[in-house]
mmCIF file of all heavy atoms in Angstrom:
data_model
loop_
_atom_site.group_PDB
_atom_site.id
_atom_site.type_symbol
_atom_site.label_atom_id
_atom_site.label_comp_id
_atom_site.label_asym_id
_atom_site.label_seq_id
_atom_site.Cartn_x
_atom_site.Cartn_y
_atom_site.Cartn_z
ATOM 1 N N LEU A 10 161.228 43.902 -2.418
ATOM 2 C CA LEU A 10 160.021 44.395 -3.066
ATOM 3 C C LEU A 10 160.293 44.645 -4.545
ATOM 4 O O LEU A 10 161.393 45.040 -4.934
ATOM 5 C CB LEU A 10 159.540 45.686 -2.414
ATOM 6 C CG LEU A 10 159.330 45.657 -0.898
ATOM 7 C CD1 LEU A 10 158.751 46.988 -0.432
ATOM 8 C CD2 LEU A 10 158.456 44.502 -0.474
ATOM 9 N N SER A 11 159.255 44.445 -5.338
ATOM 10 C CA SER A 11 159.348 44.697 -6.775
ATOM 11 C C SER A 11 158.242 45.644 -7.202
ATOM 12 O O SER A 11 157.132 45.603 -6.656
ATOM 13 C CB SER A 11 159.224 43.388 -7.562
ATOM 14 O OG SER A 11 160.261 42.497 -7.247
ATOM 15 N N CYS A 12 158.541 46.457 -8.180
ATOM 16 C CA CYS A 12 157.556 47.378 -8.749
ATOM 17 C C CYS A 12 157.649 47.252 -10.264
ATOM 18 O O CYS A 12 158.690 47.560 -10.851
ATOM 19 C CB CYS A 12 157.850 48.801 -8.321
ATOM 20 S SG CYS A 12 156.913 50.056 -9.238
ATOM 21 N N ALA A 13 156.571 46.814 -10.867
ATOM 22 C CA ALA A 13 156.506 46.703 -12.326
ATOM 23 C C ALA A 13 155.707 47.882 -12.850
ATOM 24 O O ALA A 13 154.592 48.142 -12.389
ATOM 25 C CB ALA A 13 155.855 45.389 -12.726
ATOM 26 N N ALA A 14 156.282 48.580 -13.810
ATOM 27 C CA ALA A 14 155.629 49.749 -14.386
ATOM 28 C C ALA A 14 155.263 49.469 -15.834
ATOM 29 O O ALA A 14 156.112 49.068 -16.624
ATOM 30 C CB ALA A 14 156.537 50.961 -14.301
ATOM 31 N N SER A 15 154.019 49.674 -16.157
ATOM 32 C CA SER A 15 153.583 49.538 -17.546
ATOM 33 C C SER A 15 153.095 50.896 -18.032
ATOM 34 O O SER A 15 152.661 51.726 -17.258
ATOM 35 C CB SER A 15 152.471 48.494 -17.670
ATOM 36 O OG SER A 15 151.348 48.872 -16.901
ATOM 37 N N GLY A 16 153.130 51.075 -19.337
ATOM 38 C CA GLY A 16 152.799 52.378 -19.872
ATOM 39 C C GLY A 16 154.056 53.214 -20.051
ATOM 40 O O GLY A 16 155.170 52.735 -19.856
ATOM 41 N N THR A 17 153.885 54.451 -20.367
ATOM 42 C CA THR A 17 155.020 55.320 -20.649
ATOM 43 C C THR A 17 155.375 56.138 -19.411
ATOM 44 O O THR A 17 154.604 56.997 -18.991
ATOM 45 C CB THR A 17 154.699 56.265 -21.812
ATOM 46 O OG1 THR A 17 154.344 55.483 -22.955
ATOM 47 C CG2 THR A 17 155.898 57.131 -22.126
ATOM 48 N N ILE A 18 156.515 55.827 -18.814
ATOM 49 C CA ILE A 18 156.976 56.641 -17.713
ATOM 50 C C ILE A 18 158.079 57.556 -18.243
ATOM 51 O O ILE A 18 158.755 57.231 -19.214
ATOM 52 C CB ILE A 18 157.488 55.798 -16.537
ATOM 53 C CG1 ILE A 18 158.683 54.934 -16.951
ATOM 54 C CG2 ILE A 18 156.369 54.931 -15.994
ATOM 55 C CD1 ILE A 18 159.323 54.230 -15.787
ATOM 56 N N PHE A 19 158.251 58.659 -17.582
ATOM 57 C CA PHE A 19 159.237 59.619 -18.037
ATOM 58 C C PHE A 19 160.644 59.061 -17.965
ATOM 59 O O PHE A 19 161.432 59.203 -18.861
ATOM 60 C CB PHE A 19 159.112 60.917 -17.248
ATOM 61 C CG PHE A 19 157.902 61.714 -17.612
ATOM 62 C CD1 PHE A 19 156.795 61.722 -16.787
ATOM 63 C CD2 PHE A 19 157.848 62.432 -18.796
ATOM 64 C CE1 PHE A 19 155.661 62.444 -17.132
ATOM 65 C CE2 PHE A 19 156.720 63.161 -19.138
ATOM 66 C CZ PHE A 19 155.622 63.165 -18.308
ATOM 67 N N SER A 20 160.943 58.442 -16.857
ATOM 68 C CA SER A 20 162.282 57.909 -16.701
ATOM 69 C C SER A 20 162.321 56.924 -15.548
ATOM 70 O O SER A 20 161.867 57.236 -14.448
ATOM 71 C CB SER A 20 163.293 59.018 -16.428
ATOM 72 O OG SER A 20 164.556 58.468 -16.108
ATOM 73 N N ILE A 21 162.873 55.747 -15.825
ATOM 74 C CA ILE A 21 163.047 54.774 -14.750
ATOM 75 C C ILE A 21 164.083 55.283 -13.766
ATOM 76 O O ILE A 21 164.171 54.790 -12.640
ATOM 77 C CB ILE A 21 163.468 53.404 -15.339
ATOM 78 C CG1 ILE A 21 163.265 52.302 -14.316
ATOM 79 C CG2 ILE A 21 164.900 53.443 -15.832
ATOM 80 C CD1 ILE A 21 161.843 52.007 -14.004
ATOM 81 N N ASN A 22 164.851 56.273 -14.153
ATOM 82 C CA ASN A 22 165.889 56.801 -13.281
ATOM 83 C C ASN A 22 165.379 57.813 -12.271
ATOM 84 O O ASN A 22 166.155 58.324 -11.473
ATOM 85 C CB ASN A 22 167.003 57.443 -14.114
ATOM 86 C CG ASN A 22 167.733 56.435 -14.953
ATOM 87 O OD1 ASN A 22 167.868 55.287 -14.567
ATOM 88 N ND2 ASN A 22 168.195 56.846 -16.113
ATOM 89 N N THR A 23 164.120 58.140 -12.325
ATOM 90 C CA THR A 23 163.540 59.049 -11.334
ATOM 91 C C THR A 23 162.316 58.379 -10.736
ATOM 92 O O THR A 23 161.197 58.860 -10.875
ATOM 93 C CB THR A 23 163.184 60.405 -11.941
ATOM 94 O OG1 THR A 23 162.368 60.190 -13.107
ATOM 95 C CG2 THR A 23 164.415 61.178 -12.322
ATOM 96 N N MET A 24 162.557 57.251 -10.133
ATOM 97 C CA MET A 24 161.514 56.506 -9.443
ATOM 98 C C MET A 24 161.913 56.352 -7.982
ATOM 99 O O MET A 24 163.096 56.392 -7.645
ATOM 100 C CB MET A 24 161.319 55.126 -10.082
ATOM 101 C CG MET A 24 160.759 55.172 -11.496
ATOM 102 S SD MET A 24 159.021 55.682 -11.563
ATOM 103 C CE MET A 24 158.219 54.230 -10.883
ATOM 104 N N ALA A 25 160.921 56.157 -7.153
ATOM 105 C CA ALA A 25 161.176 56.060 -5.725
ATOM 106 C C ALA A 25 160.225 55.069 -5.070
ATOM 107 O O ALA A 25 159.167 54.742 -5.619
ATOM 108 C CB ALA A 25 161.031 57.423 -5.064
ATOM 109 N N TRP A 26 160.630 54.619 -3.916
ATOM 110 C CA TRP A 26 159.758 53.840 -3.041
ATOM 111 C C TRP A 26 159.267 54.753 -1.919
ATOM 112 O O TRP A 26 160.056 55.510 -1.337
ATOM 113 C CB TRP A 26 160.494 52.645 -2.460
ATOM 114 C CG TRP A 26 160.633 51.513 -3.430
ATOM 115 C CD1 TRP A 26 161.692 51.238 -4.249
ATOM 116 C CD2 TRP A 26 159.664 50.498 -3.680
ATOM 117 N NE1 TRP A 26 161.443 50.124 -5.008
ATOM 118 C CE2 TRP A 26 160.189 49.637 -4.672
ATOM 119 C CE3 TRP A 26 158.405 50.210 -3.173
ATOM 120 C CZ2 TRP A 26 159.513 48.523 -5.155
ATOM 121 C CZ3 TRP A 26 157.722 49.097 -3.653
ATOM 122 C CH2 TRP A 26 158.278 48.265 -4.636
ATOM 123 N N TYR A 27 157.989 54.633 -1.637
ATOM 124 C CA TYR A 27 157.357 55.361 -0.557
ATOM 125 C C TYR A 27 156.717 54.344 0.395
ATOM 126 O O TYR A 27 156.459 53.220 0.016
ATOM 127 C CB TYR A 27 156.257 56.277 -1.111
ATOM 128 C CG TYR A 27 156.726 57.276 -2.141
ATOM 129 C CD1 TYR A 27 156.933 56.908 -3.467
ATOM 130 C CD2 TYR A 27 156.945 58.606 -1.793
ATOM 131 C CE1 TYR A 27 157.351 57.826 -4.421
ATOM 132 C CE2 TYR A 27 157.359 59.536 -2.734
ATOM 133 C CZ TYR A 27 157.566 59.137 -4.048
ATOM 134 O OH TYR A 27 157.981 60.053 -4.986
ATOM 135 N N ARG A 28 156.427 54.800 1.589
ATOM 136 C CA ARG A 28 155.708 53.934 2.513
ATOM 137 C C ARG A 28 154.755 54.776 3.358
ATOM 138 O O ARG A 28 154.976 55.963 3.587
ATOM 139 C CB ARG A 28 156.652 53.134 3.406
ATOM 140 C CG ARG A 28 157.410 53.954 4.440
ATOM 141 C CD ARG A 28 158.380 53.058 5.200
ATOM 142 N NE ARG A 28 159.140 53.798 6.208
ATOM 143 C CZ ARG A 28 160.147 53.310 6.901
ATOM 144 N NH1 ARG A 28 160.542 52.034 6.698
ATOM 145 N NH2 ARG A 28 160.784 54.037 7.800
ATOM 146 N N GLN A 29 153.715 54.116 3.816
ATOM 147 C CA GLN A 29 152.745 54.775 4.687
ATOM 148 C C GLN A 29 152.353 53.818 5.790
ATOM 149 O O GLN A 29 151.782 52.749 5.528
ATOM 150 C CB GLN A 29 151.516 55.233 3.904
ATOM 151 C CG GLN A 29 150.559 56.059 4.733
ATOM 152 C CD GLN A 29 149.496 56.735 3.891
ATOM 153 O OE1 GLN A 29 149.204 56.307 2.779
ATOM 154 N NE2 GLN A 29 148.928 57.806 4.418
ATOM 155 N N ALA A 30 152.656 54.217 6.999
ATOM 156 C CA ALA A 30 152.271 53.435 8.167
ATOM 157 C C ALA A 30 150.918 53.930 8.662
ATOM 158 O O ALA A 30 150.541 55.080 8.401
ATOM 159 C CB ALA A 30 153.325 53.578 9.262
ATOM 160 N N PRO A 31 150.173 53.102 9.382
ATOM 161 C CA PRO A 31 148.855 53.517 9.889
ATOM 162 C C PRO A 31 148.952 54.797 10.711
ATOM 163 O O PRO A 31 149.798 54.912 11.597
ATOM 164 C CB PRO A 31 148.427 52.328 10.752
ATOM 165 C CG PRO A 31 149.146 51.165 10.164
ATOM 166 C CD PRO A 31 150.473 51.700 9.709
ATOM 167 N N GLY A 32 148.116 55.752 10.359
ATOM 168 C CA GLY A 32 148.068 57.001 11.104
ATOM 169 C C GLY A 32 149.179 57.979 10.782
ATOM 170 O O GLY A 32 149.276 59.034 11.415
ATOM 171 N N LYS A 33 150.014 57.634 9.794
ATOM 172 C CA LYS A 33 151.120 58.516 9.434
ATOM 173 C C LYS A 33 151.031 58.925 7.969
ATOM 174 O O LYS A 33 150.353 58.291 7.165
ATOM 175 C CB LYS A 33 152.458 57.823 9.703
ATOM 176 C CG LYS A 33 152.724 57.535 11.166
ATOM 177 C CD LYS A 33 154.135 57.000 11.363
ATOM 178 C CE LYS A 33 154.436 56.770 12.833
ATOM 179 N NZ LYS A 33 155.822 56.272 13.050
ATOM 180 N N GLN A 34 151.729 59.995 7.645
ATOM 181 C CA GLN A 34 151.761 60.441 6.259
ATOM 182 C C GLN A 34 152.686 59.546 5.429
ATOM 183 O O GLN A 34 153.623 58.939 5.942
ATOM 184 C CB GLN A 34 152.256 61.887 6.194
ATOM 185 C CG GLN A 34 151.249 62.908 6.701
ATOM 186 C CD GLN A 34 151.688 64.332 6.422
ATOM 187 O OE1 GLN A 34 152.867 64.624 6.320
ATOM 188 N NE2 GLN A 34 150.726 65.223 6.275
ATOM 189 N N ARG A 35 152.401 59.496 4.154
ATOM 190 C CA ARG A 35 153.260 58.754 3.240
ATOM 191 C C ARG A 35 154.612 59.455 3.165
ATOM 192 O O ARG A 35 154.680 60.679 3.100
ATOM 193 C CB ARG A 35 152.610 58.681 1.865
ATOM 194 C CG ARG A 35 153.263 57.720 0.895
ATOM 195 C CD ARG A 35 152.412 57.596 -0.352
ATOM 196 N NE ARG A 35 151.166 56.901 -0.076
ATOM 197 C CZ ARG A 35 150.142 56.836 -0.927
ATOM 198 N NH1 ARG A 35 150.242 57.440 -2.109
ATOM 199 N NH2 ARG A 35 149.064 56.191 -0.616
ATOM 200 N N GLU A 36 155.693 58.661 3.179
ATOM 201 C CA GLU A 36 157.031 59.227 3.122
ATOM 202 C C GLU A 36 157.853 58.512 2.059
ATOM 203 O O GLU A 36 157.666 57.324 1.784
ATOM 204 C CB GLU A 36 157.733 59.095 4.479
ATOM 205 C CG GLU A 36 157.915 57.668 4.955
ATOM 206 C CD GLU A 36 158.772 57.545 6.207
ATOM 207 O OE1 GLU A 36 159.501 58.506 6.539
ATOM 208 O OE2 GLU A 36 158.737 56.472 6.840
ATOM 209 N N GLN A 37 158.795 59.250 1.495
ATOM 210 C CA GLN A 37 159.720 58.657 0.539
ATOM 211 C C GLN A 37 160.854 58.004 1.316
ATOM 212 O O GLN A 37 161.442 58.635 2.192
ATOM 213 C CB GLN A 37 160.261 59.728 -0.401
ATOM 214 C CG GLN A 37 161.249 59.227 -1.436
ATOM 215 C CD GLN A 37 161.729 60.338 -2.335
ATOM 216 O OE1 GLN A 37 160.964 60.981 -3.048
ATOM 217 N NE2 GLN A 37 163.031 60.595 -2.318
ATOM 218 N N VAL A 38 161.172 56.758 0.981
ATOM 219 C CA VAL A 38 162.237 56.079 1.716
ATOM 220 C C VAL A 38 163.465 55.813 0.870
ATOM 221 O O VAL A 38 164.572 55.729 1.393
ATOM 222 C CB VAL A 38 161.746 54.752 2.335
ATOM 223 C CG1 VAL A 38 160.687 55.001 3.387
ATOM 224 C CG2 VAL A 38 161.195 53.804 1.275
ATOM 225 N N ALA A 39 163.306 55.670 -0.446
ATOM 226 C CA ALA A 39 164.459 55.394 -1.300
ATOM 227 C C ALA A 39 164.157 55.895 -2.694
ATOM 228 O O ALA A 39 163.021 55.774 -3.165
ATOM 229 C CB ALA A 39 164.766 53.904 -1.335
ATOM 230 N N ALA A 40 165.169 56.448 -3.353
ATOM 231 C CA ALA A 40 164.944 57.031 -4.663
ATOM 232 C C ALA A 40 166.120 56.779 -5.598
ATOM 233 O O ALA A 40 167.270 56.710 -5.162
ATOM 234 C CB ALA A 40 164.715 58.536 -4.522
ATOM 235 N N LEU A 41 165.784 56.645 -6.851
ATOM 236 C CA LEU A 41 166.784 56.623 -7.918
ATOM 237 C C LEU A 41 166.916 58.042 -8.437
ATOM 238 O O LEU A 41 165.923 58.669 -8.800
ATOM 239 C CB LEU A 41 166.337 55.704 -9.049
ATOM 240 C CG LEU A 41 166.253 54.220 -8.731
ATOM 241 C CD1 LEU A 41 165.510 53.483 -9.829
ATOM 242 C CD2 LEU A 41 167.647 53.645 -8.532
ATOM 243 N N ILE A 42 168.140 58.543 -8.461
ATOM 244 C CA ILE A 42 168.390 59.918 -8.874
ATOM 245 C C ILE A 42 169.358 59.890 -10.048
ATOM 246 O O ILE A 42 170.499 59.476 -9.905
ATOM 247 C CB ILE A 42 169.002 60.739 -7.720
ATOM 248 C CG1 ILE A 42 168.128 60.659 -6.471
ATOM 249 C CG2 ILE A 42 169.209 62.172 -8.163
ATOM 250 C CD1 ILE A 42 166.772 61.282 -6.607
ATOM 251 N N GLY A 43 168.863 60.310 -11.198
ATOM 252 C CA GLY A 43 169.735 60.370 -12.351
ATOM 253 C C GLY A 43 170.172 58.996 -12.804
ATOM 254 O O GLY A 43 169.495 58.000 -12.559
ATOM 255 N N GLY A 44 171.336 58.911 -13.424
ATOM 256 C CA GLY A 44 171.779 57.652 -13.999
ATOM 257 C C GLY A 44 172.175 56.601 -12.989
ATOM 258 O O GLY A 44 171.834 55.427 -13.135
ATOM 259 N N HIS A 45 172.904 57.002 -11.967
ATOM 260 C CA HIS A 45 173.409 56.023 -11.009
ATOM 261 C C HIS A 45 173.226 56.433 -9.553
ATOM 262 O O HIS A 45 173.665 55.717 -8.661
ATOM 263 C CB HIS A 45 174.900 55.772 -11.272
ATOM 264 C CG HIS A 45 175.187 55.260 -12.654
ATOM 265 N ND1 HIS A 45 174.943 53.955 -13.029
ATOM 266 C CD2 HIS A 45 175.674 55.875 -13.757
ATOM 267 C CE1 HIS A 45 175.276 53.809 -14.305
ATOM 268 N NE2 HIS A 45 175.720 54.949 -14.765
#
């Protein structure tokens, strides 16, 4: 999967992927934390 961000974001290092299955709440599945 790819995510292209346009505009001014605070930091590419604090971005995450979320997912939502039918009938379920959205959940965070993977995150970038800090530099590495």
Side-chain angles (χ1 to χ4, degrees):
L10 306 184
S11 298
C12 168
S15 61
T17 303
I18 61 173
F19 287 103
S20 172
I21 196 69
N22 295 328
T23 52
M24 293 289 288
W26 282 95
Y27 302 80
R28 69 184 180 188
Q29 187 169 22
K33 295 187 177 181
Q34 288 189 333
R35 191 172 291 169
E36 61 172 343
Q37 179 179 299
V38 295
L41 293 167
I42 306 295
H45 301 284

